[in-house]
Amino acid sequence: MDATTPGPLAPEVLDREDLRAALIEHDFAAVFALVKKWSGLSQNRIAAACRLAPGKVSTIISGSQRVTSFDVMCRIADGLRVPGHLLGLAPRPWERQQQTHQPLPALPSARSDPDEIPWRSDATVDLAADLTRSDLVMDRRAVTRALAGTAVTGAALLDSLEGWLLPAARPPAPVRRGRLGMREIDELEITAKAFRQWDHKYGGGLRRKAVLGQLSEIASALDEYQAPTVETRLYRIMAHLAGTAATMAWDSGLHQRAQEYYRLALRAAHAGDDPVFGANVLAGMARQMLYRDRPDDALQLINLAQEGARDVIGPRVRAMLHTREAWAYAAQGRTAGFQRATARAAEALATAGPNEEEPYWIAYFDDAELAGVTGGRLLDLARQDPHRHAERAAAEIRSALSSRGAEAGRSHALDRIGLAECRFLVGDVTGGAEETHRAVDAARLTQSGRVRSQLGELYPYTVGHSTSRTVREARDSIRDLLSS
């Protein structure tokens, strides 16, 4: 077996946070044990893939021998097809042979091209029907393939969103007459709102198929002729449901699928003449790019949101967009830009009075949310310069925690994880371990994949302190949760 031969690990195994933490730590005893447990590979097959003697694999798993050879580490990376960055290596030869970006998969024969510009609302309906149909019948193997899907970035993504800034094209009128009235529309809006609030609090994908089923029903209703006021509200409901489906897919590790639902949500907001929610969708897409280490794309998405909704957004939405802008600057290492955008966010939020008429979905963005987001971005900067930014990051996160408790669900857990990392960064290992226990307790209360991913990033801080029982217990608590 050479460096270009595909390895045996399935994507869902390689995406496990406990395996990734073990790889980053170079804990190959844990790596091989987790590979055996979750991929079903025997020691002999692991040995053959990595060009090692079966006995050597056995001694590594038992802990009686450590992997210290660079050559052996490279053979493990190539044999199990582990990306080089997870082991601190340069990209492996087989990584360079893969396409950097995968195009969005072709959808089954929609009646009109979903990427044509200007956008047509009937193409949006077709896109919704096709996405939900394929997702509702997705089996385990299809989920595995979807987990391996890569979000589109760069010009391929940004060019596909240009229709957001142009008036919609007039589609042909549907033939069948629909019979939905305002009472049914009110009920659908209540359902969409409930799904969104549940996802914002708990995260995860436990109700994802319920959201997709409702989205499919909306697409069916829009495939019929409805009264203009009913049609507009249906498109807005579709936008909200698609946005929720996007965040649920993301929390489930389905990054490419999440992006497809974000695109659907943006098109539906455009068809429903709701540029404010469209700006929110673009902010969600920007956040996804930031988690994928694409700050340049994120900044362009935020600029697109601001350009398309500048005259209609209220102060809370404007503040939220500025925080995403600040996040992109922080990821680029542009401290001055981060500070400027954060100050603008605070200024905008200060003008949001109690009687301000803004959509229900932005009500969460208050002083606590601003503090939490600011603390998180300062934490990004603190990873490069702990002395300058870590204490301020901790102060902002504590401010958020004092204003929103465990009922905030996903946000509360992320705050706890961020505060633990701040303690580790300033060298307070004991304090970091204590905060880690609190973070793990908070993480147990949510199904969010993002929370688990962030928790996994705490793991390396707990390594190398085997004499400290507090740190050892913190490390074990992370591993136990990520292995469950």
Side-chain angles (χ1 to χ4, degrees):
M1 179 174 293
D2 60 31
T4 64
T5 304
L9 290 190
E12 69 266 25
V13 177
L14 192 55
D15 279 346
R16 290 187 59 84
E17 295 300 332
D18 50 356
L19 178 58
R20 287 181 169 243
L23 288 165
I24 292 169
E25 186 189 353
H26 292 179
D27 182 358
F28 290 101
V31 169
F32 287 158
L34 290 166
V35 167
K36 282 182 64 180
K37 178 177 180 179
W38 296 109
S39 72
L41 295 177
S42 66
Q43 286 185 195
N44 286 342
R45 287 195 63 193
I46 293 173
C50 301
R51 291 184 290 160
L52 298 171
K56 187 174 181 67
V57 172
S58 179
T59 58
I60 291 171
I61 291 176
S62 69
S64 59
Q65 186 172 357
R66 293 174 58 87
V67 174
T68 57
S69 166
F70 180 81
D71 178 65
V72 171
M73 197 183 309
C74 291
R75 293 210 303 268
I76 292 171
D78 295 334
L80 298 179
R81 208 173 182 85
V82 175
H85 73 274
L86 290 178
L87 288 167
L89 303 174
R92 307 304 300 150
W94 49 265
E95 287 184 80
R96 289 193 288 268
Q97 292 175 3
Q98 293 177 336
Q99 284 187 316
T100 304
H101 307 303
Q102 299 178 15
L104 290 172
L107 296 168
S109 64
R111 290 183 294 275
S112 51
D113 180 4
D115 286 328
E116 67 180 345
I117 295 177
W119 287 343
R120 284 174 44 170
S121 56
D122 58 331
T124 300
V125 174
D126 295 342
L127 181 62
D130 292 335
L131 277 174
T132 54
R133 186 185 305 116
S134 63
D135 262 9
L136 288 169
V137 299
M138 188 181 293
D139 60 17
R140 186 172 299 228
R141 282 183 294 181
V143 170
T144 299
R145 291 194 299 272
L147 282 167
T150 304
V152 176
T153 58
L157 170 63
L158 297 165
D159 285 352
S160 72
L161 305 179
E162 283 296 315
W164 157 250
L165 299 175
L166 301 174
R170 184 182 298 275
V175 176
R176 298 186 302 277
R177 179 172 294 277
R179 299 182 180 277
L180 286 180
M182 287 302 175
R183 190 177 74 175
E184 290 89 351
I185 294 297
D186 289 341
E187 291 171 352
L188 288 169
E189 285 180 341
I190 291 171
T191 302
K193 182 177 181 178
F195 279 132
R196 183 178 182 86
Q197 290 175 333
W198 188 91
D199 175 63
H200 183 73
K201 183 173 181 180
Y202 298 107
L206 292 181
R207 297 188 184 180
R208 184 166 169 262
K209 287 208 170 182
V211 174
L212 298 181
Q214 193 75 69
L215 187 54
S216 179
E217 290 296 323
I218 297 296
S220 296
L222 282 166
D223 208 20
E224 301 172 338
Y225 174 79
Q226 305 287 351
T229 53
V230 169
E231 181 181 76
T232 297
R233 289 179 68 183
L234 278 174
Y235 275 116
R236 293 185 176 192
I237 295 168
M238 175 184 281
H240 285 242
L241 288 169
T244 301
T247 58
M248 286 182 164
W250 182 9
D251 257 358
S252 301
L254 304 170
H255 298 291
Q256 188 179 51
R257 200 53 120 190
Q259 191 177 63
E260 290 166 346
Y261 280 110
Y262 274 133
R263 293 169 73 231
L264 172 61
L266 184 65
R267 292 182 61 103
H270 183 264
D273 193 24
D274 190 356
V276 179
F277 189 74
N280 183 62
V281 172
L282 286 164
M285 299 181 81
R287 181 177 58 180
Q288 186 186 23
M289 288 295 101
L290 288 162
Y291 272 96
R292 307 301 287 177
D293 296 323
R294 302 282 302 190
D296 294 347
D297 288 348
L299 200 54
Q300 292 207 51
L301 287 165
I302 291 301
N303 290 339
L304 194 62
Q306 292 168 331
E307 182 179 355
R310 190 180 308 278
D311 297 331
V312 291
I313 55 175
R316 291 185 193 276
V317 178
R318 186 177 298 108
M320 181 270 292
L321 292 176
H322 281 312
T323 61
R324 299 291 162 85
E325 184 183 358
W327 189 345
Y329 287 137
Q332 292 174 329
R334 298 170 59 185
T335 305
F338 160 76
Q339 292 172 340
R340 183 177 65 254
T342 300
R344 287 176 178 171
E347 291 170 4
L349 188 60
T351 66
N355 299 321
E356 191 75 39
E357 290 188 9
E358 290 196 80
Y360 76 89
W361 46 261
I362 197 60
Y364 78 94
F365 199 92
D366 53 14
D367 289 333
E369 179 68 14
L370 178 59
V373 172
T374 302
R377 306 297 66 80
L378 285 166
L379 178 55
D380 292 339
L381 294 170
R383 294 187 184 110
Q384 305 300 320
D385 188 351
H387 178 74
R388 183 178 178 188
H389 300 292
E391 288 294 356
R392 186 181 165 203
E396 292 286 355
I397 294 172
R398 287 195 194 96
S399 176
L401 284 168
S402 68
S403 301
R404 57 185 183 193
E407 69 277 1
R410 179 170 56 201
S411 296
H412 176 75
L414 291 171
D415 287 341
R416 283 289 177 199
I417 294 167
L419 188 56
E421 187 173 1
C422 286
R423 301 324 311 153
F424 282 121
L425 284 170
V426 297
D428 182 5
V429 176
T430 301
E434 292 171 353
E435 290 294 345
T436 296
H437 282 295
R438 298 186 183 99
V440 170
D441 289 341
R444 292 188 192 281
L445 302 177
T446 176
Q447 296 296 317
S448 171
R450 268 177 283 164
V451 168
R452 288 177 170 246
S453 177
Q454 294 294 100
L455 189 63
E457 294 187 10
L458 277 184
Y459 191 88
Y461 291 104
T462 66
V463 175
H465 304 281
S466 57
T467 59
S468 169
R469 191 180 78 174
T470 304
V471 179
R472 188 168 62 250
E473 290 174 348
R475 180 171 64 245
D476 291 344
S477 69
I478 294 175
R479 178 167 285 178
D480 288 346
L481 179 58
L482 296 182
S483 298
S484 63

